[in-house]
Amino acid sequence: MGMLGYICHPDYKCRCGKGKLVSRETAMRHRAVAHNRIDGNEHDEDIFLPLPSAITSSLQLSSLYAHASEVDENDIENGEAYSSNSTQSNSTVSITLSTRSESENSLCLIPVAERVIDHVQITANEVSSDSLGSNRHVMCLDRKFALFMEKHANVLGLGIKHSADDAFMTDLIKDISVSDSSQRPYKSFSGVRKALLRNSGLCTTEHPACTKFHKALEKTSDGSVLECSYCNDNFSTAAGLFEYIPVWERIEMLLQSPVEGPLLFSYFWRGVLEKEEGVYSDFFSGRIFQDIVSQRGGLEMVKYDIFLALSADGVQPFKSDNYTYWIALCVILNLPPSIRFKARRLLPLLLIPGPNEPKDLTSFLRPFITEIQSLSLYGRNAKLWNGERRIVRVHLLFALADLPAMKKLTHLKGPNGLVPCRFCLIRGIHVHHCYFPPVFSGHDQSNAKRRIVDRVLWDPSCLPLRTHSEVMEAYNWFKEMEFKIPKRELEYHLKQNGFSSTHPTPLLELNTMRAFRSFPIDIMHLLFENVAKDVVSIWCNDSGRHVELAYLSSRKVYEAVNDNLRACRKGFGSYYCRAPRGLDKRGLWKASEWKLFTTSTSLVVLDGWVPAQVLSGWKYFVQLVRLTCQWRHSEEDVDQIGSLAERFYRHFVDLYYKKTPDRVHLCKYVYHLLLHLAQNIRDCGPISLLGQWTTENFVGYVNRITHAKHLFAQSAREKIKYHVAASLYSLRYGIQIPHIEETDVNNNWISPLTSISSPSSTESGQTQFSLLGPSCHTSITNEGKTNIPGLRDLLVRYYISKLGISRAEAGNLVRKNDSIRVWGRLRDSKTMILRPWTYHGFSQYSEHRSTCYFSGMFACNRSNEVDVYYGKTFCFLSHEVCTASHELVVADWATRGLRRGNQGQVYSRSRIDSDYLFACRTVEEVEVISHPIAVVQTTYPCVGKRHSVRTYFVDEMQDTDGVMTYLDSNKDVVRCSLKGIEV
C-alpha cells in the first residue's frame, strides 16, 4: 500500500509534529524528539500513523477520529507529555475507506483513545516537502466546543447580527460562563473563533504575492517564485501572502444539506424544464447558457451542474485615506433570486490587502481559475442530500464588476481607450488626452479652427460587435508576433483593438466564458452611479462650463426642486428603500436613492421646473430604467429596451452635444453602454439579477464587523473566514446558529414594485395576507371607541356585495355578530407591511395616523382587464361571521379629480389633506390591495402668480404612458385601467 505520508500517532503527544502530515525524513526527526520526551521508553516508528494513499478527501480522514470523546486544548498548546492516566484502555476499530477506484477498498486499523490531537493538517500535493503551504484543515471531534455550541450558539449568532467586536464578545462569554474562571471552557472569544475555524472544516490556501500586492507571484517547476514585473520583488524578499478559500468544500456541504441541497436544483430544474419561449426569466434563458447546453450534449448533461457568477470590487474603508483593498466572491446562480444573494449563501474567495489597487487583478484569481477548470471538466463525485451520488460539475458563467474593475478583469484599455467598448469596435474622438464616442465627429483635428464635420462615425442601431472567435484569433496573432515586430508597432495594433496586453484574461481559459459576452453590464453603476448622476450634474452646472444646459442652476429653481424632494419624504413609507433627500445632499446619495429619484420622484419634482423638451428626453431614460430593473422580460420588453436606449442616446446627442467641439467631453462611454443593454439581456438573462448590489452590500457588512484601524484588511480577512466558518459549521452538523440569516446583505434594490408580476400574487395565484398587531377588540355599534363613523353601514354594503344578500339580511348578519377586532398592520407574502397607525394605542386613531397609500385592483366586466383605484388605508379589521373570519380594510378612495401630466404623471390639484381627494370610504377584502404607492405634495410654477400646489400619485407599476400590466396566476398579461382620471 502506498503511503501518503506520516502523521503523529494519537496516543502520543509529539510537540514538533503537531498532527501534521510530514515526510519520512521529518517523521524520523520528530521520532527522536518524542523518544527523548517520553521518559526514555522504547518506541519505534509506530508513533507515526501511516495513512493509505487511498485517502482523497477531508471527510474520509475525519472518519478516522470519529470515536474520540474529549480534547484538552491546553495539553496540545503547552506540549505536555503523555500521561497514562488520561486515557482508557485502547480498542481497535476497523474503518473502511473508499479509494479513487470504486472496486478497491483499504482497511486502516487504528487504536481509539479518549485524548487525541484535534487538529490534523493534510496535503496530497507535497508529500516529500516540509512546506505545507496548501494544507487542508480537517475537523476532528471536539467535544468541548460541541458542548459550548449546544449551550451558547445564540451568543455567536447575536455577535454576527450586531457586528460585535472581540472585546465585547469576550466579556459576554465571561458573563454567561461559570463564575469560576478555571472551569470556563474558553478564556476569550479568540479561543472560540479558533475552535470554530478548526471544527467547521474550513480550509484555505496561501499564495505568494509581492510586498505591495501588485500581482500574485507564480511558481516555476523547480519551486522557485518569479519576480514581480512591477516592483522586481521575488519570494525571497517579498513576504506578501494572500489566502484563497476553495469553492468545492462549501458547495459539497450545500449539496449534502437536507435544507440547502434541494434549493440548489428545484428552482433550476423548474426554470429549465418549464422555460417559456420568448421570455427571459433568469440566466438559463440567455444565449450563453444555451450554448453551454449544446456544447455539453443536452439539458440532461447539466442537470446536476452548479453555475457561478464571479464578482470583484475595490473598497476604500476610510474616507480620509486612499487605503484600498479588493475582494472577490461568487454567487450561486442555481438558487432562486429571493435567497441567492443572502450572505450565508455567498462564496467569498479572497481578499487582496492593498494598500494600493492591484496592477494585475487576474493573477490573484489564478487559484480560483485552476479549481474551476478541474471542476468544470471532470467534476466531483458528490453525495447529495437524498443519499444519491452524482458527478457534479461547477461552471463559471459570468464575471461582474464596475468599469475600473472590469478593465482589469478583461485586459482591455477601458473607457479612455481608442476602442473603449468591450462589446463592439467603435472608435472614439481624441480630445484632451481622452477618447469620447459620439455618433457624429466633433471636429476636424487637422483644421486649426476646429471646423465641425457632419459625418456619421457609427450607427447606434447597427453596432460592429465583437465575436469570441475574432477576439481569440486576434490574441493568437499577438502571441505569434509578439517578438517578431517592433514594440511600437505592437503597441499600435494593441491600441487599434482596445487590448492592454498581448495575453487574454485567464478567465477566457474556461470553456464556459465568452469574449466579452460573459462580462455583462453592471446596471447599478451604469444607470444610477453614472448616467443619472451625470445628467443631474449637467443640469446643476457643477462644472461651470455649460450655462445654457444648467436648467437647475437658478437659485429659485434649485430651491423649489430641493423643497419638493424634501416634501416627498412624508409620502414614501418604509416599504421603499430610502426616503428621498434634497439635491443639496446628492453628493451623499446611495445608488438606491438615485434609483428612487430616477424611477419615482424625478418626473414629479421636476415637472414645470425643467423645459418640457428636456423632461421628455429624460422620460425615455426613466422608462428604460424601469424596464431594465425587472426580473422578467418578454421579447417585446427587450426590443423596447433597445428602442428606448437608442432614443435617449439620440436625444442626448442632439440636445446636449449638438456636434459642438467644446461639448464632445459630454459624450461619455457610459451613454454608449446603454445601447448594449438589450444584447446583454439576450445573452445573460435579466441583468437586474447580475448587478454589483450584492458585492457592495457584502463589503458594507464586512466593513461593519471589522473594527481594526491598523491592518484593516488582515482583520477583515479573518472576519470573512469566521463568517464562512459559522455557515459551514451550521451546514455540517445541522446546528442552527440564531440570527445568522439576519446578516444577509440588504437587497433593497430587489423591490416588488419593480416586478412585472403583481406584488400581491403568489405563484399559486392566491394572495397571502396576515394581520399583525397591535390589536384590540371592540364592537361595531360602539363608534365612539372605534372612531370609525358609519362602520355598520359600511359592513352592510360589503356583505350585500360579497354574499349577494338583501340589505335586511346583511343588517341582521352584522347585528348578530357585533364583535370586531382592529389590527395595526398588514403583511403580505412578499413581506410588504402597511401601517395605517403608529403605536400609541387605539383610543385616538385620528391623532396618530401615519401615511399609507396603496393601489387597489377590482374585477370588471371587460376581459383581461381590471380597474385600479388609488386609496388610503384607514384601519384593518377582522370580523367573525358564521365561523368564518373576514379580513377587511377600511379605505378611502380617490375616485375623481385625477389628471395626467405631459409626461404621464398622475396628479390632483387638491391638497393631500383635502376631503375632496379621498372622498369615498368603503370596506373591502384585504386582497384588493395590490402594492403600496407614494402620494406627495409639491409646488408647480405658474406664470405671473403664486405657485400652485399639486398632489402627485407615484406608482412604479405604472409606466410613464399610463399603462399598467401584471401577470395573473395563468401567466397571462392583464391590463389595468386607472379610474378617477378626468378627461
Side-chain angles (χ1 to χ4, degrees):
M1 181 183 298
M3 297 300 173
L4 183 66
Y6 292 82
I7 192 170
C8 295
H9 197 287
D11 279 350
Y12 302 98
K13 298 297 179 65
C14 176
R15 181 182 179 90
C16 301
K18 281 278 187 176
K20 289 183 180 179
L21 184 76
V22 296
S23 63
R24 179 182 177 85
E25 293 76 13
T26 304
M28 294 298 99
R29 186 168 64 252
H30 290 182
R31 172 184 177 275
V33 176
H35 177 78
N36 295 331
R37 288 183 55 83
I38 308 178
D39 301 330
N41 295 332
E42 293 294 330
H43 294 284
D44 55 11
E45 194 174 340
D46 289 338
I47 66 172
F48 297 97
L49 175 66
L51 299 179
S53 58
I55 293 181
T56 59
S57 70
S58 60
L59 293 178
Q60 295 172 355
L61 184 62
S62 62
S63 66
L64 293 173
Y65 295 91
H67 299 274
S69 59
E70 186 177 0
V71 175
D72 192 336
E73 291 183 344
N74 294 328
D75 288 351
I76 297 176
E77 294 175 357
N78 299 330
E80 295 181 1
Y82 169 79
S83 173
S84 59
N85 298 328
S86 63
T87 62
Q88 300 174 352
S89 60
N90 296 338
S91 61
T92 302
V93 180
S94 176
I95 300 177
T96 303
L97 301 175
S98 62
T99 62
R100 294 183 183 272
S101 174
E102 292 292 339
S103 61
E104 298 179 1
N105 286 328
S106 300
L107 295 180
C108 182
L109 303 180
I110 63 170
V112 178
E114 181 181 0
R115 299 165 67 86
V116 299
I117 297 177
D118 69 331
H119 189 201
V120 181
Q121 296 175 326
I122 179 173
T123 176
N125 298 327
E126 303 180 7
V127 176
S128 61
S129 174
D130 294 339
S131 174
L132 300 177
S134 58
N135 291 336
R136 174 178 292 174
H137 297 263
V138 179
M139 186 281 310
C140 300
L141 183 61
D142 188 342
R143 186 176 183 183
K144 181 174 69 173
F145 183 73
L147 293 175
F148 177 84
M149 289 297 294
E150 288 181 5
K151 297 179 180 179
H152 307 303
N154 60 326
V155 176
L156 298 185
L158 287 172
I160 293 175
K161 177 182 179 181
H162 297 288
S163 308
D165 58 2
D166 290 0
F168 175 82
M169 293 300 296
T170 298
D171 294 340
L172 186 60
I173 290 175
K174 290 180 180 179
D175 291 339
I176 65 175
S177 301
V178 296
S179 57
D180 187 1
S181 60
S182 61
Q183 298 182 6
R184 292 173 183 165
Y186 297 98
K187 298 179 180 179
S188 66
F189 182 69
S190 177
V192 178
R193 185 172 63 247
K194 292 178 181 178
L196 178 62
L197 292 174
R198 289 196 304 268
N199 287 269
S200 65
L202 175 65
C203 62
T204 61
T205 58
E206 291 185 345
H207 302 272
C210 69
T211 54
K212 297 180 181 179
F213 290 94
H214 290 146
K215 65 178 294 186
L217 302 181
E218 299 179 3
K219 288 186 178 181
T220 59
S221 57
D222 58 354
S224 61
V225 179
L226 299 177
E227 292 184 351
C228 176
S229 57
Y230 299 98
C231 56
N232 297 325
D233 283 345
N234 54 39
F235 190 68
S236 60
T237 60
L241 293 173
F242 70 96
E243 287 189 85
Y244 168 68
I245 307 177
V247 171
W248 174 250
E249 281 74 9
R250 289 173 281 176
I251 293 180
E252 189 178 23
M253 288 297 101
L254 290 172
L255 291 171
Q256 296 177 6
S257 172
V259 177
E260 304 290 338
L263 293 176
L264 286 173
F265 299 108
S266 58
Y267 169 77
F268 174 60
W269 290 344
R270 186 172 67 252
V272 171
L273 297 177
E274 301 177 2
K275 181 180 180 297
E276 302 176 59
E277 292 296 332
V279 175
Y280 301 91
S281 56
D282 210 331
F283 74 97
F284 41 73
S285 304
R287 295 173 180 172
I288 293 179
F289 177 80
Q290 301 300 328
D291 292 345
I292 294 174
V293 170
S294 301
Q295 178 183 344
R296 295 286 175 177
L299 290 173
E300 191 66 26
M301 303 303 296
V302 299
K303 184 177 181 180
Y304 289 95
D305 290 1
I306 303 295
F307 298 91
L308 304 178
L310 172 69
S311 180
D313 194 15
V315 187
Q316 289 186 348
F318 308 114
K319 295 181 179 180
S320 59
D321 193 0
N322 292 328
Y323 179 87
T324 304
Y325 72 89
W326 285 65
I327 192 171
L329 57 86
C330 277
V331 179
I332 303 177
L333 299 177
N334 293 55
L335 294 170
S338 58
I339 63 175
R340 157 186 320 174
F341 308 103
K342 295 183 179 294
R344 69 173 300 182
R345 295 181 177 92
L346 298 178
L347 304 178
L349 301 177
L350 55 89
L351 186 145
I352 306 173
N356 300 316
E357 62 181 25
K359 302 291 185 180
D360 188 357
L361 178 62
T362 54
S363 65
F364 292 93
L365 297 175
R366 175 55 65 181
F368 169 72
I369 296 173
T370 303
E371 182 184 14
I372 293 297
Q373 276 181 323
S374 174
L375 293 175
S376 179
L377 291 176
Y378 309 109
R380 298 286 176 86
N381 189 356
K383 182 179 180 181
L384 304 184
W385 71 95
N386 54 8
E388 298 182 7
R389 300 197 69 89
R390 297 279 184 177
I391 298 297
V392 177
R393 294 179 175 85
V394 182
H395 310 286
L396 181 67
L397 281 189
F398 310 119
L400 316 175
D402 56 8
L403 288 180
M406 187 62 71
K407 174 183 174 180
K408 296 177 180 295
L409 286 178
T410 55
H411 289 190
L412 297 178
K413 289 289 186 180
N416 295 329
L418 174 63
V419 183
C421 186
R422 63 182 182 271
F423 302 111
C424 64
L425 294 171
I426 65 165
R427 294 171 182 265
I429 298 175
H430 186 269
V431 177
H432 301 302
H433 310 289
C434 294
Y435 289 93
F436 300 94
V439 175
F440 301 96
S441 62
H443 59 278
D444 187 355
Q445 298 183 17
S446 61
N447 193 338
K449 295 183 180 181
R450 303 173 69 182
R451 179 174 55 87
I452 297 176
V453 179
D454 190 359
R455 179 169 57 90
V456 178
L457 297 180
W458 46 272
D459 185 3
S461 60
C462 185
L463 299 173
L465 300 178
R466 299 178 189 258
T467 63
H468 180 76
S469 58
E470 292 176 353
V471 172
M472 300 312 297
E473 288 178 4
Y475 275 118
N476 291 334
W477 184 87
F478 282 114
K479 183 179 180 180
E480 180 183 355
M481 305 297 295
E482 183 174 5
F483 301 103
K484 296 182 180 180
I485 59 177
K487 183 177 180 181
R488 175 172 293 185
E489 185 178 353
L490 184 67
E491 292 178 352
Y492 170 79
H493 289 291
L494 286 173
K495 182 178 180 180
Q496 296 298 315
N497 286 273
F499 299 159
S500 62
S501 173
T502 57
H503 303 283
T505 170
L507 293 172
L508 293 180
E509 297 176 9
L510 302 174
N511 56 9
T512 56
M513 298 291 287
R514 303 292 183 264
F516 289 96
R517 297 159 56 201
S518 296
F519 300 81
I521 296 173
D522 171 31
I523 64 170
M524 186 197 80
H525 288 91
L526 174 66
L527 300 180
F528 309 122
E529 294 285 352
N530 283 288
V531 176
K533 183 184 294 186
D534 188 66
V535 172
V536 175
S537 177
I538 295 175
W539 290 345
C540 295
N541 196 22
D542 291 341
S543 64
R545 300 174 61 179
H546 305 290
V547 180
E548 63 277 9
L549 300 176
Y551 306 110
L552 301 179
S553 62
S554 170
R555 182 176 179 180
K556 176 182 177 181
V557 175
Y558 186 87
E559 289 183 354
V561 175
N562 200 32
D563 293 340
N564 287 344
L565 274 173
R566 291 175 178 174
C568 290
R569 295 180 63 89
K570 299 179 181 179
F572 286 83
S574 58
Y575 35 80
Y576 285 87
C577 52
R578 288 177 182 267
R581 289 189 284 182
L583 281 179
D584 54 341
K585 301 291 184 180
R586 71 182 186 278
L588 303 175
W589 284 7
K590 303 293 184 182
S592 57
E593 292 178 276
W594 281 108
K595 177 180 180 295
L596 182 65
F597 173 80
T598 303
T599 59
S600 301
T601 62
S602 60
L603 293 178
V604 171
V605 300
L606 298 176
D607 191 16
W609 302 101
V610 173
Q613 181 185 6
V614 177
L615 206 57
S616 297
W618 173 257
K619 177 180 148 183
Y620 297 146
F621 180 70
V622 173
Q623 290 176 306
L624 174 66
V625 171
R626 289 183 177 180
L627 280 176
T628 307
C629 288
Q630 291 179 0
W631 280 16
R632 180 188 178 95
H633 302 288
S634 63
E635 191 63 42
E636 293 76 12
D637 293 335
V638 179
D639 293 338
Q640 189 176 2
I641 288 174
S643 175
L644 289 171
E646 182 178 348
R647 289 157 70 182
F648 174 71
Y649 189 88
R650 292 188 180 276
H651 160 79
F652 186 86
V653 170
D654 294 339
L655 186 63
Y656 296 85
Y657 171 44
K658 293 184 177 181
K659 294 177 287 185
T660 304
D662 293 335
R663 296 186 182 180
V664 69
H665 65 278
L666 296 177
C667 299
K668 297 181 179 179
Y669 168 63
V670 292
Y671 296 98
H672 167 78
L673 270 182
L674 296 175
L675 302 174
H676 291 286
L677 287 174
Q679 172 201 351
N680 269 234
I681 295 175
R682 290 189 173 96
D683 288 337
C684 308
I687 56 177
S688 58
L689 301 177
L690 300 175
Q692 281 291 86
W693 307 82
T694 304
T695 307
E696 294 285 348
N697 289 325
F698 183 78
V699 165
Y701 164 69
V702 172
N703 290 340
R704 288 195 304 271
I705 64 177
T706 305
H707 303 278
K709 294 184 179 179
H710 302 286
L711 301 176
F712 183 90
Q714 288 77 356
S715 178
R717 180 185 60 196
E718 296 302 320
K719 294 291 185 180
I720 292 175
K721 290 168 58 179
Y722 170 68
H723 180 85
V724 175
S727 301
L728 274 178
Y729 189 88
S730 176
L731 290 172
R732 186 184 291 272
Y733 299 106
I735 297 178
Q736 297 298 326
I737 300 179
H739 307 294
I740 193 173
E741 283 290 345
E742 278 78 351
T743 63
D744 300 340
V745 294
N746 185 11
N747 286 296
N748 285 324
W749 64 280
I750 303 176
S751 170
L753 301 178
T754 61
S755 173
I756 192 173
S757 301
S758 175
S760 60
S761 61
T762 60
E763 293 183 0
S764 62
Q766 298 295 326
T767 307
Q768 298 178 355
F769 285 100
S770 58
L771 296 174
L772 305 177
S775 63
C776 70
H777 292 274
T778 184
S779 63
I780 299 175
T781 56
N782 190 3
E783 294 184 358
K785 185 175 181 180
T786 60
N787 199 18
I788 308 177
L791 177 59
R792 182 180 180 279
D793 293 337
L794 295 176
L795 288 173
V796 168
R797 289 201 296 267
Y798 166 74
Y799 285 116
I800 292 175
S801 174
K802 177 69 176 178
L803 304 179
I805 58 180
S806 64
R807 183 176 183 86
E809 293 174 335
N812 293 331
L813 187 66
V814 173
R815 190 178 304 106
K816 292 179 181 179
N817 302 273
D818 189 58
S819 177
I820 62 170
R821 190 173 182 180
V822 184
W823 296 84
R825 295 176 296 170
L826 176 72
R827 180 173 63 188
D828 74 342
S829 56
K830 295 180 183 262
T831 67
M832 174 188 71
I833 297 180
L834 300 180
R835 297 182 179 90
W837 314 104
T838 55
Y839 184 63
H840 291 287
F842 288 91
S843 60
Q844 297 177 343
Y845 292 119
S846 58
E847 296 183 7
H848 302 289
R849 192 189 312 277
S850 60
T851 55
C852 183
Y853 305 95
F854 64 91
S855 173
M857 293 187 178
F858 297 85
C860 63
N861 297 327
R862 299 179 299 275
S863 60
N864 287 334
E865 195 164 337
V866 295
D867 292 336
V868 177
Y869 290 90
Y870 290 150
K872 177 176 63 174
T873 58
F874 190 85
C875 68
F876 298 114
L877 307 174
S878 60
H879 189 208
E880 297 284 344
V881 176
C882 301
T883 69
S885 178
H886 295 263
E887 295 181 348
L888 309 173
V889 57
V890 181
D892 299 325
W893 304 92
T895 58
R896 59 182 179 178
L898 302 184
R899 302 170 180 268
R900 286 202 180 275
N902 296 329
Q903 312 305 330
Q905 313 97 321
V906 178
Y907 71 94
S908 173
R909 292 181 178 177
S910 303
R911 291 183 176 272
I912 194 171
D913 55 352
S914 172
D915 295 335
Y916 176 82
L917 186 58
F918 295 96
C920 180
R921 175 171 295 179
T922 63
V923 171
E924 306 291 344
E925 293 178 320
V926 294
E927 283 77 9
V928 303
I929 298 177
S930 171
H931 56 275
I933 65 172
V935 180
V936 297
Q937 182 174 292
T938 63
T939 58
Y940 186 84
C942 296
V943 180
K945 57 182 179 180
R946 189 177 180 181
H947 298 325
S948 63
V949 175
R950 285 187 176 183
T951 300
Y952 286 89
F953 293 78
V954 182
D955 183 6
E956 291 191 3
M957 286 291 291
Q958 179 183 182
D959 64 20
T960 53
D961 292 331
V963 178
M964 291 184 291
T965 57
Y966 75 98
L967 299 181
D968 61 7
S969 58
N970 298 324
K971 296 184 178 180
D972 295 329
V973 177
V974 177
R975 182 183 176 90
C976 305
S977 300
L978 179 62
K979 299 301 179 180
I981 300 292
E982 293 183 354
V983 180

